[in-house]
Amino acid sequence: MKRILIIGISCSGKTTVGRKLSKKLNIPIHDLDDLYWNPGWIETDKEKFKNSVTSLCKEESWIIVGNYNSVQSLVLEECDTVIWLNLSRARVWYQALVRSMRRILFSERCCNGNIESFQRTFLTKDSILLWVLKDYKRKYIKYSNMRDDGEFSKKEYIELRNTTQINNLLIKE
């Protein structure tokens, strides 16, 4: 495991798992959210984003965390390991709610220094909580189909369905 892609629905714990693996394996981590979102929640130009990811993929070792369709095939082609955090909808929703509340209450920065607000989290169509509800089934179907169609067959493929399996991976590695 030298080039690891961690995928899963938003709030499934990709960044947290990635950071722990990074520390354990001494491999740099790159969160696609940090590359995509600029301060003020401004999106990076699509070509610039793709070029940044292309550069990262040329490095000898990395952990890339994220699901961006525009670069996923590129990262998937270059990785040697895919980790899918395939947690239940209830678990992901709980994690999304707890994380959002923590970020709001403590003004924790995320996504390249941005701050989640109460309004953005609970009162807009851009709500991460709404996104998790809307996107869960789509991501589950997408990654299940990729697995079943053999898109991960030439990679070390690890599917983690609960926190016990996640903790076991982090202890094992």
Side-chain angles (χ1 to χ4, degrees), residues 18-131:
R19 285 181 183 145
K20 289 178 180 179
L21 271 180
S22 173
K23 193 176 226 180
K24 189 163 191 77
L25 300 174
N26 198 29
I27 295 174
I29 181 173
H30 306 282
D31 190 332
L32 295 180
D33 283 340
D34 288 336
L35 294 173
Y36 187 78
W37 292 107
N38 294 298
W41 294 106
I42 297 169
E43 299 173 26
T44 297
D45 172 76
K46 291 182 186 345
E47 200 60 36
K48 183 178 178 186
F49 177 61
K50 187 174 182 176
N51 289 340
S52 296
V53 174
T54 299
S55 293
L56 288 177
C57 287
K58 292 177 182 174
E59 294 178 8
E60 182 180 331
S61 62
W62 40 258
I63 297 170
I64 293 180
V65 174
N67 297 304
Y68 288 82
N69 288 332
S70 61
V71 295
Q72 190 162 56
S73 61
L74 169 71
V75 180
L76 186 58
E77 185 176 314
E78 297 297 328
C79 73
D80 59 33
T81 304
V82 175
I83 299 173
W84 177 19
L85 301 184
N86 183 14
L87 303 179
S88 72
R89 184 187 307 254
R91 180 66 195 187
V92 172
W93 172 250
Y94 170 78
Q95 288 178 184
L97 185 60
V98 169
R99 182 184 86 174
S100 293
M101 292 305 298
R102 187 186 69 239
R103 285 180 175 175
I104 292 166
L105 291 171
F106 300 107
S107 298
E108 286 183 13
R109 298 198 178 271
C110 65
C111 304
N112 201 16
N114 287 298
I115 296 176
E116 291 182 14
S117 67
F118 181 86
Q119 181 176 347
R120 183 178 174 93
T121 302
F122 290 100
L123 304 175
T124 69
K125 63 180 172 80
D126 295 326
S127 164
I128 187 68
L129 301 175
L130 185 58
W131 175 255

Side-chain angles (χ1 to χ4, degrees), residues 124-140:
T124 69
K125 63 180 172 80
D126 295 326
S127 164
I128 187 68
L129 301 175
L130 185 58
W131 175 255
V132 167
L133 287 176
K134 290 185 343 187
D135 201 43
Y136 184 89
K137 184 175 182 180
R138 186 180 68 80
K139 282 283 190 324
Y140 176 81

